[in-house]
Amino acid sequence: MNISKFFLSLIITIAMLLLMDPRSFYGLAFHEWAGLVIGIFFILHKILNWGWIKKVTVGFFRKCPGRARFNYILDVMLLAGITLMILSGIAIARTIDFSWLNLGGSRMFWRVMHTSSSFITLALFGIHLGLHWNWVLVRLHLKKSKNGKEN
Amino acid sequence: MVKKISFLILSVAIMVIGIIAFGKLGYWNRSVRIFKYSSDTPFEGRQGRGPEGREGFIRPEMRELPDSIRERFESREGRPGQGMREMNMPDSIRQQFGPRSGERIGRGSNDGGFRNSEGHGRGEFPGGKKINIRNVKWFLAVFAAFTVIAIYTDKMVCLIRRRNGKLIRNSESTG
């Protein structure tokens, strides 16, 4: 389970970096399709960590460590960022036809939204990784798990 | 100890490159642009498209030109993308990149790309598909810098908490 979580996170990170420049890798078609796929991977990432989400959601306003609370808020912001990124990406897509969705709003607005949300989300991704750095080190066998609860 | 110092040096290097990349990409401006957005303001497009745009940005078709010709072209016009027709350049290059061949379709068009090059979408160039990860390295630098900041901030917070906990325990045992 942890190995699959690790590889999924690694794929999301690499894909996210490649998606930051629409001209990178195989151009706009890759950018748009990979952008949709990363959304699916993100949902999968949430499903794999559903136990933690459930636990913190229930205990958020009760007894909950400050760190878990901060991670939870960061995750909610990441979720909002990813959602905005995909939504605005759909609105300005050129190689895939999403005109049937009728999202409304001007193209200019969605473009600005897409750039801003992706830049903010990348920064949040970096912070998220930094806060889970111990988990990464344990997965890479560079650090020993303290009590076997580095999940 | 050596391990710790080498990690610290590596972290400082990542931070420095990250800060450079942050400035180069215009990261802050592009991040907060949505909060400054109003439908009345004219759209400047992605930074770097205009004459006042992102430093170091080169239009895709300009990237393919030899450096000498690109420099001459930029110094003459002051802005990439103008005066392609009058420019004194070899015929082979003019044919490949000039306005007649590979002329860009207007921004409002849905398919984008180059008119006389079959199968090239926006962001793809004539002469076969290329893997271009030039800008990705700058994004990687910014991403790594944020990660390093988070790691050290987290460590600092843990250290402060541990120290505070120790102080409380000490005061309880003595008092």
Side-chain angles (χ1 to χ4, degrees), chain A residues 83-95:
Chain A
T83 309
L84 284 174
M85 224 161 67
I86 293 173
L87 205 68
S88 53
I90 285 171
I92 58 169
R94 281 175 184 241
T95 62

Side-chain angles (χ1 to χ4, degrees), chain A residues 27-43:
Chain A
L28 197 67
F30 166 80
H31 182 81
E32 290 179 0
W33 281 108
L36 288 176
V37 172
I38 204 176
I40 295 164
F41 280 6
F42 187 75
I43 293 165

Side-chain angles (χ1 to χ4, degrees), chain B residues 1 10 28 32-33 47 50 53 71-72 87 100 106 112 122 127 137-138 144 157-158:
Chain B
M1 192 64 184
L10 186 71
W28 179 254
V32 299
R33 194 182 283 176
Q47 268 194 353
E71 274 166 22
R72 208 165 62 198
M87 214 179 83
R100 282 282 162 216
R122 187 176 153 266
K137 65 183 178 197
W138 295 117
V157 169
C158 283

